Amino acid sequence: MASVKPTVFFLPGGYHGSWIYDSVRGILSDRGFATDASDLVSVGTTDASVGIHSDATHLRSQLTRIIDEGKEVVLVAHSYGGIVASNAVDGLSIEQRAAQGKQGGIILILYLAALVVPAGRTFLSLCPPTPSWDVIEVKPIFTGNCNRRSTDVYTQGGFWVPKDPLSSFYADVEPSLASKAVDALKPMSPGVLRDETKYEPWNQGFEVGYIFTEEDKQLPLEAQESMFSQFPKGSFSARLASGHSPFLNVPGALADVIQEGIDHVSKKKLLA
């Protein structure tokens, strides 16, 4: 591993705030890593037009703030955050920056039980809902590669909220922490469903990796494996015996595999 450790930057998934990473950030801090995190502007907003690109623009500003200081960054994105990460990073890889005579950049994007969506697609084109989003119960919301359970969201005034988060997100999380997490959830803007993705970092020279959650009830393992299949041969991967929220359930194990990902790209660089 490099003598100067990269900054590990965390992005949550839908409905969640960045507080969910507090435990794993503390563990990594104790191991000598700087960490940072960003919230999603689509979560908790009252503006229904806010979507993927609003989230991506906000994330890019946060990443650029660190990268322009010449720092190397590992970006960890969970669930919906995977789409945001993909659309925020054009021109920010360590190689792209070096080609412009600049220091710093992203050395690895880790998709944590995250959505990996090809350019030119939207939520609605990839996983179309059947009934109107104006009704209370939507089923099924996702089909095909997403492979999510039916009846797992409501809409409230057009905004997207989970129907049974305790089961979908936190079934294996300690009960009092799971209750805290449920209480902290916020609605999402419906704009995230309609924005078209524009960038595929895995096809643009970025180092990418995937962290699988093997007991996931929200994004089943077979769907995660389908996402990972888009990555170049030799991309990093790791598996956690966890549901959809390993940052709450097994933060130490999550910190371990993040370090493994960093070691993986460091060794590749040495052998290049």
Side-chain angles (χ1 to χ4, degrees):
M1 190 183 298
S3 57
V4 177
K5 295 179 179 180
T7 297
V8 183
F9 193 104
F10 292 94
L11 184 70
Y15 320 116
H16 291 80
S18 58
W19 74 269
I20 59 174
Y21 292 115
D22 287 352
S23 291
V24 68
R25 288 182 65 185
I27 293 166
L28 288 170
S29 178
D30 289 343
R31 298 179 185 180
F33 288 91
T35 71
D36 208 330
S38 177
D39 289 320
L40 294 163
V41 295
S42 63
V43 172
T45 183
T46 57
D47 183 352
S49 70
V50 171
I52 291 169
H53 299 302
S54 305
D55 281 327
T57 298
H58 178 69
L59 172 60
R60 186 179 182 87
S61 71
Q62 301 303 304
L63 292 171
T64 302
R65 169 178 53 84
I66 298 170
I67 290 170
D68 280 348
E69 295 175 355
K71 295 177 180 177
E72 297 183 351
V73 171
V74 173
L75 176 57
V76 181
H78 179 242
S79 198
Y80 161 75
I83 302 177
V84 177
S86 296
N87 284 271
V89 298
D90 185 9
L92 296 184
S93 76
I94 191 79
E95 294 83 6
Q96 290 169 333
R97 298 260 304 177
Q100 300 172 27
K102 298 177 180 179
Q103 294 185 328
I106 295 170
I107 64 169
L108 174 64
I109 305 172
L110 285 173
Y111 292 81
L112 171 59
L115 298 176
V116 178
V117 179
R121 303 297 296 273
T122 67
F123 257 123
L124 290 180
S125 69
L126 185 69
C127 317
T130 47
S132 166
W133 283 96
D134 292 329
V135 299
I136 291 298
E137 188 171 320
V138 179
K139 71 179 196 182
I141 8 178
F142 288 106
T143 59
N145 287 340
C146 292
N147 195 28
R148 294 166 79 176
R149 300 178 303 112
S150 64
T151 67
D152 63 353
V153 298
Y154 289 119
T155 59
Q156 290 181 348
F159 288 75
W160 197 14
V161 295
K163 178 182 178 183
D164 185 15
L166 195 61
S167 173
S168 297
F169 298 154
Y170 315 123
D172 54 356
V173 175
E174 190 276 324
S176 64
L177 182 55
S179 179
K180 173 186 174 181
V182 170
D183 289 344
L185 295 173
K186 297 179 180 179
M188 276 186 89
S189 167
V192 303
L193 301 170
R194 298 176 176 86
D195 277 352
E196 188 174 283
T197 61
K198 296 181 178 179
Y199 196 68
E200 300 175 352
W202 54 93
N203 284 329
Q204 300 297 329
F206 280 76
E207 286 287 347
V208 292
Y210 205 99
I211 301 173
F212 299 97
T213 46
E214 296 181 318
E215 299 166 10
D216 202 317
K217 295 183 179 180
Q218 178 70 6
L219 188 66
L221 182 59
E222 58 268 30
Q224 298 177 48
E225 290 171 340
S226 176
M227 306 284 180
F228 177 66
S229 69
Q230 300 175 72
F231 290 174
K233 184 178 180 180
S235 295
F236 174 78
S237 68
R239 293 175 180 264
L240 295 174
S242 173
H244 198 57
S245 304
F247 33 79
L248 300 179
N249 182 37
V250 286
L254 177 57
D256 290 344
V257 296
I258 290 170
Q259 280 196 255
E260 289 173 15
I262 294 169
D263 289 343
H264 175 86
V265 296
S266 296
K267 290 174 183 176
K268 282 185 71 174
K269 184 177 181 180
L270 288 173
L271 293 172

